[in-house]
Amino acid sequence: MLFAFSVAPMTTGEDGSVHDAVAAAVKVVRESGLPHETTSMFTTIEGDWDECMDVIKRATDAVRAFGSRVSLVVKADIRPGHDSGEIQGKVDRLEKAIAESE
């Protein structure tokens, strides 16, 4: 399963940024050992339901230290039979489809 999530405090620092809070969340993800990828908008993790939801909860808890209100957005790709390598596998299949259509 893939889970893409974005978590941030509802209030921001003096410069309007939430990077310190997001860094705390990404640290939790990295320490989890799950395959992951962080982009400017989301962090994607790969694993089973329970382990991914645990990481998302702990990452959210880490952000709670930066404000009393937190925003969490989660999108999941639940695809039986595709248990690992899908962070890159989905991109590879997309790139192949684009190349074949040219």
Side-chain angles (χ1 to χ4, degrees), residues 7-95:
V7 60
M10 296 294 287
T11 56
T12 63
E14 290 180 20
D15 65 353
S17 180
V18 295
H19 63 267
D20 290 332
V22 173
V26 172
K27 183 178 180 191
V28 169
V29 170
R30 289 180 178 177
E31 290 173 351
S32 75
L34 292 178
H36 63 277
E37 173 183 78
T38 299
T39 65
S40 60
M41 297 291 292
F42 287 92
T43 294
T44 302
I45 56 178
E46 184 170 21
D48 72 29
W49 182 269
D50 291 333
E51 63 190 355
C52 288
M53 292 308 289
D54 176 64
V55 170
I56 292 169
K57 180 186 183 308
R58 290 187 291 118
T60 302
D61 288 344
V63 170
R64 290 179 66 203
F66 292 84
S68 61
R69 191 171 181 186
V70 174
S71 171
L72 172 65
V73 175
V74 179
K75 180 173 172 118
D77 182 354
I78 302 164
R79 189 173 182 196
H82 293 79
D83 299 330
S84 65
E86 285 302 291
I87 288 176
Q88 187 59 47
K90 288 180 75 166
V91 175
D92 292 345
R93 289 189 297 276
L94 170 66
E95 293 297 334

